[in-house]
Amino acid sequence: MKALVLHPPSHKVSLCDLPRPEPNVGEVLVRVHAVALNPIDALYAFKPIATQEQRVIGTDFAGVVVEASTDIADTSDARTRLGARVAGFLQGEYVVVPYDLIWNVPDCLSLETASAVSMCGLTAAQGVFARLGLPCPFASTSGFLPFPYRDTASPINFLIYGSSTSLGLYAAQLVRLSSITSSRAIRLIGVAGASNHRLLGQPPYNYDVLVDYHDLDWPDKVWEATGNDGVQYALDCISEGDTVENVHSTLGSEGKLAVFRTPSGGGYNVSKLRIKPIYGAVWEGLGAEIGYNGSDRLPLVLGTLAHQLLISLTIYSEEILPANADARDFAAKFFSFLGTDAKADEIKLEPNPLRIMPGGLERVVPDGFTLLGKDGVSSRMMNDRLEEYMQPISAQKIVYPV
């Protein structure tokens, strides 16, 4: 099969021929038809955290099941059937993946569209439900914190910074689902460029308040929108530089903030913050150990499904976050939720708007990674390419048919 392979010592990515993988116990083999890019795909290529000589890279995929391990071949789960349309996150022309970490794609969705859901959708669900603890439609969570100064009839203020990012688009939908699950009113406040406000004010996002991050006084506008109560829950979908400090400044006295990059990775200083951000890696959902490279002492809150524990986490080169059984169970429930009622063409999360890219895997690095940039979302620069598909990316997901 063809696959994008990173060579960490040289930081080079090349399209290579590799042996087609074989499914182990509990796994299915999927022929990939479409892949979607995420900022970390480019980031981990330009700044590798892997230590091996070569590593297949990528995250989101959608395709068709072509083989199942013998132990699950006769199960009733639709995800193990030959020909099943599924999506998840890993990458290559073929992937092997545990069958409970993929989801059934309804016929009303193309595989290109479905490829854009899995990783960002799970990341958003981890932030909204597993880390901030909002009532969840598919798993047990802690529920809303008791804010003693608020009556239950008042809306809960939930802020999403980076509302037009892929992560933010899914997070907004999940917050709306939480409101339905709990029968509690939530005032959803979005921070995004004004050009995307019209999109964000419409279904399925339905933001109640939108402010432009270009306005230097946007935190003051958030305070005004909350009646000077401040925000009870916040997601920083960028988590880079001063975004964390600015989002933190909107929190009420007992607010909670979830971030998606560590202080060293995002370049922010948690010592300035009275409320420590809750951090967790989407990879915890795979149920495996997670390794990170080169970081300083990082005081933060490490989020788990069951609880949040304030710790001083020291991450040195090749530090390992242990396998998290709770996080894997949450991921499996999330993917099952996504695929429920697929036969009835019911969509649980509206996929991101897409930008379909030409050229397949061969063009991921020269085109897709150029659009994503080397240093994260906040540092993306205009490129000098003239093709329409190479215009700056905003409120869209990059997808390559394979």
Side-chain angles (χ1 to χ4, degrees):
M1 71 169 191
K2 300 287 186 183
L4 283 173
V5 176
L6 168 67
H7 305 274
S10 64
H11 295 203
K12 291 183 178 179
V13 178
S14 57
L15 189 63
C16 297
D17 288 307
L18 297 178
R20 189 172 110 167
E22 299 292 334
N24 293 315
V25 173
E27 295 181 333
V28 293
L29 177 67
V30 178
R31 171 64 173 93
V32 174
H33 287 257
V35 298
L37 299 192
N38 296 278
I40 58 171
D41 296 329
L43 183 65
Y44 287 170
F46 293 122
K47 298 180 179 180
I49 62 172
T51 57
Q52 60 265 56
E53 284 299 314
Q54 65 177 34
R55 180 177 186 174
V56 176
I57 63 171
T59 45
D60 283 312
F61 73 88
V64 175
V65 173
V66 296
E67 187 180 345
S69 61
T70 55
D71 62 298
I72 59 173
D74 296 325
T75 66
S76 59
D77 195 300
R79 292 170 290 185
T80 67
R81 296 173 186 166
L82 300 187
R85 287 158 35 93
V86 297
F89 64 100
L90 285 174
Q91 210 168 99
E93 279 189 321
Y94 288 86
V95 296
V96 288
V97 60
Y99 80 93
D100 59 343
L101 294 181
I102 53 179
W103 55 282
N104 287 118
V105 177
D107 290 339
C108 63
L109 287 184
S110 69
L111 291 174
E112 288 83 2
T113 302
S115 72
V117 177
S118 301
M119 199 195 79
C120 270
L122 177 59
T123 304
Q126 289 173 334
V128 171
F129 301 129
R131 297 187 179 110
L132 293 183
L134 265 64
C136 177
F138 56 84
S140 297
T141 53
S142 60
F144 294 120
L145 287 179
F147 296 105
Y149 56 91
R150 300 183 62 82
D151 60 80
T152 57
S154 298
I156 292 166
N157 297 311
F158 194 110
L159 181 140
I160 299 177
Y161 185 92
S163 304
S164 61
T165 63
S166 295
L167 179 55
L169 294 176
Y170 289 125
Q173 297 181 64
L174 293 170
V175 171
R176 289 303 181 203
L177 284 175
S178 184
S179 179
I180 294 170
T181 299
S182 62
S183 300
R184 284 294 303 273
I186 296 178
R187 181 186 288 118
L188 189 56
I189 303 169
V191 187
S195 62
N196 289 314
H197 284 190
R198 182 177 179 182
L199 168 71
L200 297 171
Q202 298 174 345
Y205 317 113
N206 297 317
Y207 275 87
D208 300 295
V209 178
L210 289 161
V211 296
D212 189 340
Y213 73 90
H214 292 102
D215 296 335
L216 297 179
D217 64 343
W218 73 259
D220 296 332
K221 295 178 179 179
V222 171
W223 276 95
E224 182 180 351
T226 65
N228 291 317
D229 278 343
V231 168
Q232 283 78 54
Y233 298 95
L235 286 178
D236 183 352
C237 297
I238 306 299
S239 305
E240 297 173 3
D242 60 4
T243 68
V244 177
E245 190 171 344
N246 286 334
V247 173
H248 176 272
S249 73
T250 69
L251 294 177
S253 60
E254 298 183 32
K256 297 178 71 176
L257 166 61
V259 296
F260 298 95
R261 297 190 68 181
T262 62
S264 61
Y268 58 89
N269 185 355
V270 292
S271 67
K272 298 180 180 180
L273 309 180
R274 60 184 171 82
I275 297 173
K276 301 308 178 187
I278 305 167
Y279 169 77
V282 67
W283 315 112
E284 290 177 303
L286 299 176
E289 291 183 337
I290 307 161
Y292 289 94
N293 285 349
S295 177
D296 299 321
R297 179 174 294 276
L298 309 176
L300 70 160
V301 178
L302 183 65
T304 70
L305 180 62
H307 62 279
Q308 284 81 40
L309 176 65
L310 182 61
I311 61 172
S312 290
L313 178 65
T314 305
I315 302 179
Y316 296 109
S317 179
E318 301 181 24
E319 179 73 11
I320 298 295
L321 293 179
N324 186 332
D326 283 341
R328 193 195 187 286
D329 179 67
F330 180 86
K333 289 177 179 176
F334 172 72
F335 288 127
S336 178
F337 168 75
L338 279 186
T340 302
D341 299 322
K343 287 184 178 180
D345 274 354
E346 181 177 332
I347 300 173
K348 297 301 175 66
L349 286 180
E350 186 68 31
N352 293 159
L354 303 186
R355 181 178 297 185
I356 302 295
M357 300 287 284
L361 291 178
E362 192 171 343
R363 299 303 303 175
V364 167
V365 174
D367 296 345
F369 283 7
T370 296
L371 287 171
L372 292 176
K374 296 183 179 181
D375 296 305
V377 175
S378 61
S379 63
R380 291 178 186 170
M381 304 293 289
M382 297 284 290
N383 64 76
D384 58 2
R385 300 278 294 277
L386 301 179
E387 303 96 322
E388 184 176 352
Y389 61 83
M390 288 301 296
Q391 298 309 299
I393 194 83
S394 178
Q396 289 180 311
K397 192 78 166 176
I398 298 171
V399 172
Y400 283 87
V402 177

